[in-house]
Amino acid sequence: MSAIPNGQFMSYEREPAKRVFAAELREATKTIKDTEDEKSPVFLLLPTGERCNRVLIAGTITQKDKVGDQNIIYRARVSDPTGIFFINASSYQPEAMHQLAKIDTETPSFVVVIGKPNAYTTPEGKTLVSVRAESILAVNQETRDLWIQDTARSTLERVDALLAETPSADVLLARETYHLAPGHWKKMVYDALSRIMPL
Amino acid sequence: MDTQQIQQIADRISLNLKAKGVSPDSHSISEKLSLYINEFGVVPFEAERKVLSDQYKQYKIPEEAKPAANQAGDIANIADVQPNDWVTVEAKVVSLQVPNSPAISQSGILADSSGAVRFVIFSKATELPKLEIEKWYRIDSAVVDSYKGVPNLKLHSGSRVTEIEDDRCLVPSEPTKLSDLKPGVVSCIRVKFVDEWESRSERMMQSGLVADESGRMRFVLWQDAEKEKLVPGAVYNIFYASVDEYNGKLSLTLNSAVWLQDEDIEISVPIKSGVSAPKEPLPITTIRNLQVGYASLRVKFVEEWESRSDRMMQSGLVGDETGRIKFVLWQDESKERLELGRVYEIINAKVDEFNGRLSISLNPATYSADESDTDIAVGTRLDEVSGTIVQVSKGSGLVRRCPVDGCNRVLSRQNFCPVHEIQNNFKYDLRIKGVVDDGHRACNVLMNREVTEKLSDMAMDQAIEIASNSPLGLEEIQAELTERLCGRYVKCLGNEFDGRILVKSAEFIHLDTKITAELLNRAGNVQEDDRT
C-alpha cells in the first residue's frame, strides 16, 4: 500500500488474495497489525514470509455443517492435496452463506473459496487457522488444477524470497517465527503438483 | 496413491467398523477412498475421516463413538517444536554428550527428517530407559523448555519412551545456509573450511572459519579423543552442529556433530554482498516490467523537464510501447545530454523507487541514439492482467442506460437518470464490474457487453429473459454471472484508466501440463537452489 502523503485520503486498495496450500496456512500462527488503530487490518504472516489478509483456495469439499439456531453459521472442510482448510460463513457473509448452502457435499465436488484467514488460539495454546468465506463456488477440475499450478508458483516465489540475501522485513520476521526449512515447502509443492501430473 | 496404500487405509476403516460390530463392505470403502484421494485430490487423512464418518452414518453408529483425533497427525516435527509445547516426536538419537552435572542422566541431540533439537533427561526421572545412540524412539509427552532462547526437549517422569524397531532411514534435510542459521541445532550445513586459527587454549582442539555462498562463520571443536580435525580448504557436510549465540554473534560448536568430506563440490565463497552494478550488459526489457535494480531499455525521449537543481543535468520522460518513466541524469562531464524525440538504447540504467514510483538514473548507464531511427509508438501496448475473477461486484449484469443522445448513464431502479430524470425508454446493456486478482494485485476491471457475453456464454437477450422470469429481477443476472465466472482464471487485455482496466478482450486460461512439468522441476530442484 502506498504511503499517505500529508494526511490526504489514501485511495482504497483491495488486498490481493494470496495463494496458499492447506499445509502452509495451517502452520501460520503470527499475526501482524501495522498500527494500533482499531480499523487497521490484521495480517496473517505465512511461514514462507508473506503477509496476507485475503486468500484464494481451491479443493474438494468434504463436509458441511449448519451450526446455531438464531445466528446461523455454516462450517465446511475443504481439502487440497496437502491438507484441509476450515471454512466458515455466517450471516455477515450472506453471499457466501447462500452459495455454501447450495453446494451438495454427499458426493465430492471441487470448489474455489475467496476469504479472510483468521488465526484463533485455543486456551491450550494451539493456534487454529480458519477462513471466513467471502465467496465459495463450485468449479470444474481444470480450475482446481490451475489453482494448484498458481499456488505452486506463488509458493516457490515466496520460498525464493525467503532465501534472499536482502530479505524484506516480513521475511526476517518469518525466519524468526517459523522453523521449517525452505526445502519443506518445496517438497509440499512438489507433492501437490505430482497429483495433477498425468503419469 | 497406489491400490496397496488405499487398501491399508481401507483395512484400518474396516477394522474400526468390525470393532463396532458391523461387517463392512471393504470393496466399496476402497472405491470411495480412491475417488476422494485419486480423483479429487483430497489429502489421505481427510479422506479416511470422511469415509469412516460416512460409514458410521450408514450403519447408524453414534458420532460419539468416533475415534478422537487422527493419531498420525499428532506427531510433531522437531523443526516445529516451540518452547512450552507438549509434544510427541519420533526421532533418532544422533549425538550423546557426557553430562556436565550429576543432576542430568543423559543429554544429546534428537533428530527427525525435519530438524534436530537438544534433549535432556534428569537423573530423577528414573522410569525412563537410557537412550542409545543411532536408535529411533517415539517419545510421548515431552515438554519443550527454552534454554537461552533455544528449544530444548525435556524428558520427564511423565514422558513415555518407546523404541521404534523398524530401522527407518533418517533423510537429512538439505543444507541450511549459514546466513539462515539460528541458535539451536542445525541438521546439515555444507561449508568450506576457509581459515584455521591458532588455538588459544589447551581445551580447544581446533577453531577457525567455515563459509558457504551465503557467508562465513566461526567454529570451535573442543578436545575430544573420538573426533578428528578438519582439513583446511576442504568442503564438508556437517550434521547436527550446535549453533551458539554470544554477544549477538553466532558460532558453531562441532562436538555434537558428525561430518563427511565432500570432494565433488566446490563452494564459491562470497567476497562481499549487496546489490552492485552488473558487470555484463543486461538484456533489453520493457518499462512495464521494470523492477528496482538495474535494467536495459530501448526508449524514446518524449518529454523534457526543466532542471530544478544545479546538480541535475537533464530530466524528463522516456517511453516505450508499454509505458513511460521518469529519468534523471546528474551532472557528469563524461555524459552527453539526450536529444528530444530520438530513440535510445540505454544499457544498465539504475532503477530506483521513490514513493512507490519507479524512475531511472542514467549516470551508471551507457546509452547511444539508435542510428536506424525506427520510431517507437509510446504507450500503445495494451495492459494485461491474468488471474482469478475474485469478485463480480454490484452494478454488474443487466443495466438500463439513459437513451438521451450522448448520455448513456446507468439508470437507477426507478429508471432515474441523474441528469435527464425519469427515462422509461431505456436501453439495456450487459457488463461486468469486477476484480481480477493475480495474487500480487487486485485489479479492477470493466467488461463491456461483448466481452461479458463471450465469457459467460449468456447473450443479452437470454439475460433479459432470465431477469424478467426471476423474482430477483436484475439481481439474478449478477448472481448468475458470479456463479459462472467467479473463481475462474482469465486473461484480460485492455487500457488502464483511473485504476480500472477497460477490457477489450478476455479469455479463459486453460491448463498447460508443460507448466506443471516446469514447476515440478523447480520444486524438485532443492539442491541447486541452495547453492545460488
Side-chain angles (χ1 to χ4, degrees):
Chain A
M1 251 186 232
S2 52
I4 310 169
N6 308 328
Q8 286 170 21
F9 282 110
M10 184 172 55
S11 66
Y12 165 75
E13 241 178 84
R14 184 186 160 105
E15 275 296 323
K18 297 292 164 79
R19 279 66 164 155
V20 57
F21 285 120
E24 184 181 356
L25 190 65
R26 197 191 77 148
E27 298 293 330
T29 50
K30 179 95 185 158
T31 53
I32 313 172
K33 230 175 138 136
D34 279 336
T35 63
E36 290 299 312
D37 183 1
E38 211 178 285
K39 284 178 192 137
S40 128
V42 179
F43 291 89
L44 187 62
L45 182 67
L46 297 175
T48 48
E50 251 184 51
R51 58 175 69 194
C52 64
N53 93 337
R54 178 173 279 123
V55 291
L56 174 77
I57 60 192
T60 299
I61 186 161
T62 58
Q63 190 173 328
K64 174 179 85 177
D65 298 303
K66 195 169 141 190
V67 197
D69 298 324
Q70 304 233 300
N71 300 309
I72 296 168
I73 299 176
Y74 273 93
R75 294 189 202 284
R77 294 160 74 100
V78 171
S79 175
D80 76 4
T82 72
I84 40 179
F85 297 102
F86 299 97
I87 310 292
N88 56 59
S90 73
S91 46
Y92 291 106
Q93 296 85 36
E95 190 178 312
M97 203 168 83
H98 292 146
Q99 289 163 345
L100 186 51
K102 272 196 271 179
I103 295 170
D104 164 43
T105 53
E106 283 308 303
T107 52
S109 62
F110 295 116
V111 293
V112 159
V113 182
I114 297 134
K116 301 267 187 183
N118 235 327
Y120 165 74
T121 305
T122 63
E124 294 85 49
K126 206 174 169 207
T127 302
L128 301 171
V129 180
S130 63
V131 176
R132 199 171 66 232
E134 297 172 305
S135 297
I136 175 163
L137 297 139
V139 293
N140 58 11
Q141 177 166 4
E142 188 181 35
T143 302
R144 194 284 309 250
D145 291 356
L146 282 167
W147 177 82
I148 288 184
Q149 267 189 2
D150 192 14
T151 306
R153 190 185 301 108
S154 305
T155 309
L156 290 175
E157 281 169 10
R158 292 197 296 268
V159 168
D160 285 346
L162 193 61
L163 291 162
E165 275 188 41
T166 46
S168 68
D170 284 352
V171 163
L172 284 176
L173 188 60
R175 286 186 192 166
E176 230 172 74
T177 313
Y178 303 110
H179 301 285
L180 281 167
H184 174 87
W185 303 118
K186 286 191 147 185
K187 182 161 185 312
M188 170 191 75
V189 168
Y190 188 91
D191 291 346
L193 285 167
S194 313
R195 303 291 287 276
I196 59 164
M197 196 63 188
L199 296 172
Chain B
M1 231 177 163
D2 60 34
T3 34
Q4 222 181 348
Q5 289 164 300
I6 298 268
Q7 195 53 49
Q8 279 179 8
I9 304 177
D11 289 348
R12 219 162 33 225
I13 294 176
S14 296
L15 266 177
N16 184 303
L17 290 165
K18 277 178 195 151
K20 298 280 177 302
V22 297
S23 41
D25 175 357
S26 72
H27 181 67
S28 109
I29 291 173
S30 309
E31 268 187 351
K32 277 193 179 148
L33 283 169
S34 170
L35 173 72
Y36 275 99
I37 295 172
N38 290 339
E39 282 170 50
F40 279 88
V42 170
V43 70
F45 69 78
E46 175 69 1
E48 180 173 352
R49 190 201 61 82
K50 167 72 176 165
V51 173
L52 183 61
S53 156
D54 284 355
Q55 292 285 319
Y56 271 49
K57 260 186 227 154
Q58 191 181 327
Y59 292 107
K60 301 198 168 55
I61 302 170
E63 285 283 313
E64 306 85 71
K66 219 190 287 181
N70 188 298
Q71 283 287 307
D74 290 337
I75 291 171
N77 285 328
I78 283 181
D80 300 343
V81 305
Q82 300 284 339
N84 303 323
D85 280 356
W86 283 74
V87 293
T88 297
V89 296
E90 290 189 356
K92 183 180 181 177
V93 181
V94 294
S95 172
L96 281 174
Q97 269 120 54
V98 185
N100 49 17
S101 150
I104 292 171
S105 131
Q106 259 190 322
S107 72
I109 291 173
L110 285 169
D112 66 10
S113 54
S114 73
V117 68
R118 286 180 207 164
F119 76 90
V120 59
I121 304 177
F122 288 99
S123 303
K124 59 183 181 200
T126 48
E127 303 86 341
L128 295 178
K130 282 260 182 203
L131 302 189
E132 285 176 54
I133 190 133
E134 299 284 291
K135 283 205 170 150
W136 279 85
Y137 296 91
R138 179 190 168 103
I139 298 161
D140 288 279
S141 310
V143 69
V144 187
D145 260 2
S146 111
Y147 179 67
K148 290 186 187 166
V150 176
N152 194 336
L153 206 62
K154 194 167 87 183
L155 280 64
H156 51 93
S157 49
S159 306
R160 257 197 333 280
V161 175
T162 330
E163 191 181 331
I164 299 170
E165 296 290 349
D166 56 334
D167 185 33
R168 53 181 91 184
C169 95
L170 178 63
V171 191
S173 52
E174 76 284 5
T176 307
K177 292 206 274 182
L178 290 181
S179 61
D180 291 343
L181 289 188
K182 290 176 212 66
V185 178
V186 57
S187 293
C188 177
I189 50 174
R190 182 185 292 137
V191 291
K192 184 172 177 171
F193 183 8
V194 290
D195 197 6
E196 183 165 18
W197 294 343
E198 222 171 297
S199 282
R200 290 152 302 161
S201 135
E202 286 283 298
R203 286 183 51 229
M204 202 181 273
M205 188 160 142
Q206 195 175 30
S207 73
L209 285 178
V210 291
D212 67 7
E213 293 83 351
S214 72
R216 35 186 78 208
M217 194 171 287
R218 189 191 149 199
F219 78 90
V220 58
L221 176 63
W222 303 103
Q223 288 295 357
D224 182 342
E226 283 171 22
K227 297 283 188 212
E228 271 179 38
K229 282 190 177 184
L230 281 76
V231 181
V235 172
Y236 289 91
N237 285 305
I238 301 178
F239 303 97
Y240 310 115
S242 300
V243 186
D244 302 301
E245 188 175 353
Y246 182 69
N247 276 351
K249 277 203 144 186
L250 297 181
S251 68
L252 296 161
T253 306
L254 301 189
N255 290 69
S256 62
V258 287
W259 52 86
L260 290 168
Q261 195 173 334
D262 196 333
E263 282 166 8
D264 301 333
I265 287 167
E266 185 47 46
I267 292 183
S268 62
V269 174
I271 300 151
K272 69 179 180 99
S273 59
V275 184
S276 54
K279 289 176 190 73
E280 301 292 318
L282 296 166
I284 302 278
T285 180
T286 57
I287 289 176
R288 188 180 292 153
N289 291 330
L290 282 185
Q291 287 174 346
V292 174
Y294 286 85
S296 300
L297 292 166
R298 188 171 174 278
V299 288
K300 185 173 173 177
F301 181 17
V302 289
E303 195 176 307
E304 182 155 12
W305 295 346
E306 216 172 296
S307 285
R308 288 152 304 163
S309 133
D310 289 345
R311 286 184 51 230
M312 203 181 273
M313 189 159 132
Q314 198 173 28
S315 72
L317 292 177
V318 291
D320 67 7
E321 286 87 350
T322 68
R324 294 151 211 262
I325 190 166
K326 178 191 162 184
F327 79 91
V328 49
L329 180 59
W330 302 100
Q331 287 295 356
D332 180 346
E333 279 173 19
S334 67
K335 293 287 180 197
E336 272 183 38
R337 291 170 65 91
L338 304 189
E339 233 177 280
L340 194 65
R342 289 200 79 172
V343 172
Y344 287 85
E345 212 171 74
I346 302 174
I347 305 299
N348 296 355
K350 188 161 187 291
V351 187
D352 296 306
E353 186 184 339
F354 183 69
N355 272 350
R357 291 209 159 202
L358 296 179
S359 64
I360 57 173
S361 159
L362 300 189
N363 292 70
T366 53
Y367 47 91
S368 56
D370 192 317
E371 294 304 329
S372 64
D373 258 348
T374 37
D375 200 17
I376 291 179
V378 172
T380 49
R381 197 177 296 174
L382 292 176
D383 294 295
E384 183 191 319
V385 58
S386 291
T388 310
I389 300 178
V390 291
Q391 186 175 300
V392 173
S393 316
K394 280 211 166 61
S396 295
L398 212 48
V399 292
R400 302 181 177 118
R401 291 192 183 277
C402 177
V404 174
D405 220 17
C407 175
N408 220 26
R409 284 184 177 78
V410 171
L411 303 177
S412 74
R413 246 175 219 273
Q414 292 77 26
N415 296 335
F416 186 83
C417 169
V419 180
H420 305 102
E421 305 192 326
I422 303 289
Q423 296 289 334
N424 285 322
N425 281 327
F426 55 81
K427 303 175 287 188
Y428 272 118
D429 194 8
L430 189 64
R431 67 169 183 184
I432 290 173
K433 285 169 85 175
V435 181
V436 174
D437 183 323
D438 66 3
H440 301 286
R441 192 168 85 113
C443 185
N444 292 315
V445 297
L446 182 62
M447 296 178 183
N448 61 21
R449 174 178 161 186
E450 191 193 337
V451 174
T452 305
E453 284 185 326
K454 185 185 157 222
L455 275 189
S456 66
D457 200 24
M458 174 167 58
M460 192 164 85
D461 292 344
Q462 284 172 284
I464 295 170
E465 202 188 319
I466 294 170
S468 51
N469 291 329
S470 161
L472 289 174
L474 298 187
E475 273 177 48
E476 179 73 29
I477 305 303
Q478 190 201 326
E480 188 69 32
L481 290 173
T482 303
E483 198 105 319
R484 293 185 190 204
L485 297 177
C486 202
R488 303 283 304 269
Y489 280 87
V490 291
K491 174 176 160 183
C492 302
L493 288 171
N495 294 110
E496 186 157 352
F497 181 73
D498 205 13
R500 189 177 279 278
I501 291 186
L502 309 177
V503 180
K504 289 223 164 81
S505 70
E507 58 186 46
F508 289 116
I509 296 172
H510 292 290
L511 193 71
D512 180 352
T513 48
K514 275 201 302 266
I515 294 175
T516 312
E518 278 167 28
L519 288 166
L520 268 171
N521 254 334
R522 243 177 100 185
N525 217 338
V526 170
Q527 296 279 312
E528 190 169 295
D529 217 69
D530 278 359
R531 249 176 273 147
T532 49

